[in-house]
Amino acid sequence: MKNFFVKSHGLGNDYLVVNSLDINFELTEKNIRTVCDVHYGIGSDGILVLVDTDKADFGLRILNPDGSEAEKSGNGLRIFAKYLFDYGYANSASFTIDTLGGVVQAEVIEQEKGKARTIQVDMGKAIFEANKVPVKSDQPECLDEELYLDWTSYLINCVSVGNPHCIILKDELSVDEIKQVGTHIENHPKFPNRINVQFAKVISPDLVEILIWERGAGYTLASGSSSSAVAAMMVKKGLTNRNLTIRMPGGELKLQIDEDWQIRMTGEVREIASGYFSAELLDDLNS
Ligand SMILES: N[C@@H](CCC[C@H](N)C(=O)O)C(=O)O
């Protein structure tokens, strides 16, 4: 099916999915920006590309709307798993997916009318070593470290779940504030690969509310890797149980953090639309 795409969302975090063998345009930075733009393209928080791999059942590239490439995406992985299941690529409910951030196991755990609805992803292990996040730090792990912006400062906690995350504990969560400071934290020189940012408020040992500023995408309604990172960090800091819910503006994910820091994430995915890139858009992408 030449130039076929599917658009789906995980709790309001939306992605286009394409098969690399089916598209008639290059995934250049300019083309990715156009396709993800809601006015000039289809509009999305990123593009998920099915690619060949010899390391797992399926290979996945995760492209941010600014044209950069992410190592991991929690919502992206659930959306991609639904695509593989619903469109007949996967012949069982459980399969492996190779990402730049490692191989993950995905399992369709709830179906509706033969389509995947709820998906569990084994997100891999949380990594706290500062140089592996990566974050520049004098300490082996970046925990409660002061990050200075020109007009304010924050206590930051950094972790990698395949992609890098910077978590700031807050008594109150403000969407205006994360939208104002997100880009300054994302692009701070302390983070050699830039970083995803979360404001987190612990509601109870079983529930944490977060706001998200995504690297390469900006403010989003939900993020699976952010939820995974926050859950692991809250457990590390002794603030929550190992089984917890992460609540975001777009909805909730269930997280389980094992003793060895292995992360399991469970949540819904819904398809929005499917279709074909129009000939005129393809002309623009190829010009
Ligand atoms: N929305 C995603 C995260 C996507 C990748 C992120 N923007 C990055 O650059 O690391 C999720 O659900 O995890």
Side-chain angles (χ1 to χ4, degrees):
M1 292 192 290
K2 276 283 166 220
N3 298 306
F4 179 72
F5 71 86
V6 175
K7 181 171 174 172
S8 301
H9 76 94
L11 314 171
N13 187 207
D14 58 294
Y15 280 90
L16 297 173
V17 193
V18 296
N19 183 337
S20 59
L21 298 177
D22 288 346
I23 53 171
N24 275 353
F25 61 92
E26 296 282 313
L27 289 164
T28 60
E29 180 188 322
K30 176 179 150 287
N31 284 348
I32 295 164
R33 282 178 182 271
T34 302
V35 168
C36 294
D37 186 278
V38 73
H39 304 293
Y40 294 98
I42 298 165
S44 74
D45 290 327
I47 306 177
L48 306 170
V49 189
L50 170 61
V51 292
D52 271 348
T53 181
D54 51 15
K55 295 197 191 115
D57 297 326
F58 303 99
L60 169 63
R61 289 185 69 198
I62 303 158
L63 304 172
N64 285 322
D66 71 350
S68 61
E69 185 157 1
E71 305 88 339
K72 210 44 104 53
S73 164
N75 285 326
L77 277 159
R78 294 200 325 285
I79 287 169
F80 187 65
K82 177 174 168 59
Y83 167 86
L84 296 172
F85 187 81
D86 291 358
Y87 288 87
Y89 289 100
N91 48 23
S92 79
S94 180
F95 40 87
T96 53
I97 301 171
D98 182 25
T99 69
L100 283 181
V103 173
V104 306
Q105 180 85 37
E107 186 174 354
V108 176
I109 59 170
E110 188 199 358
Q111 297 177 36
E112 192 183 71
K113 297 176 190 158
K115 307 279 184 192
R117 176 151 194 155
T118 305
I119 291 158
Q120 186 167 84
V121 179
D122 202 329
M123 288 288 283
K125 283 189 184 184
I127 298 162
F128 296 97
E129 289 106 300
N131 62 331
K132 291 190 181 157
V133 172
V135 48
K136 292 179 189 162
S137 174
D138 296 337
Q139 304 300 316
E141 296 177 343
C142 179
L143 302 174
D144 293 321
E145 212 168 284
E146 198 103 26
L147 178 86
Y148 294 97
L149 302 180
D150 284 348
W151 67 98
T152 188
S153 69
Y154 290 103
L155 283 183
I156 61 165
N157 301 277
C158 296
V159 58
S160 167
V161 296
N163 59 347
H165 294 268
C166 167
I167 300 155
I168 296 165
L169 279 160
K170 303 281 284 183
D171 292 331
E172 293 305 326
L173 301 180
S174 158
V175 173
D176 287 345
E177 185 183 354
I178 199 162
K179 283 184 175 174
Q180 194 192 353
V181 300
T183 187
H184 300 281
I185 301 175
E186 174 192 352
N187 294 292
H188 194 282
K190 210 170 160 62
F191 308 117
N193 294 349
R194 303 194 285 158
I195 206 150
N196 295 287
V197 184
Q198 297 86 31
F199 283 177
K201 179 181 177 183
V202 180
I203 308 295
S204 77
D206 303 316
L207 177 65
V208 180
E209 275 183 12
I210 68 170
L211 295 175
I212 304 128
W213 179 269
E214 265 190 44
R215 178 180 65 168
Y219 178 77
T220 56
L221 295 175
S223 162
S225 58
S226 297
S227 301
S228 303
V230 169
M233 187 56 80
M234 296 304 108
V235 170
K236 168 106 172 156
K237 292 173 93 62
L239 296 175
T240 63
N241 298 325
R242 287 184 177 272
N243 283 292
L244 67 154
T245 299
I246 302 290
R247 180 178 291 160
M248 297 161 281
E252 294 181 351
L253 286 172
K254 298 284 179 209
L255 272 301
Q256 183 189 324
I257 311 297
D258 292 348
E259 297 284 343
D260 63 355
W261 299 110
Q262 195 74 33
I263 303 166
R264 200 157 301 115
M265 172 198 65
T266 309
E268 285 202 347
V269 176
R270 303 296 282 162
E271 184 174 308
I272 299 166
S274 62
Y276 297 88
F277 290 86
S278 79
E280 290 180 17
L281 178 57
L282 290 169
D283 281 349
D284 294 345
L285 297 176
N286 285 312
S287 66

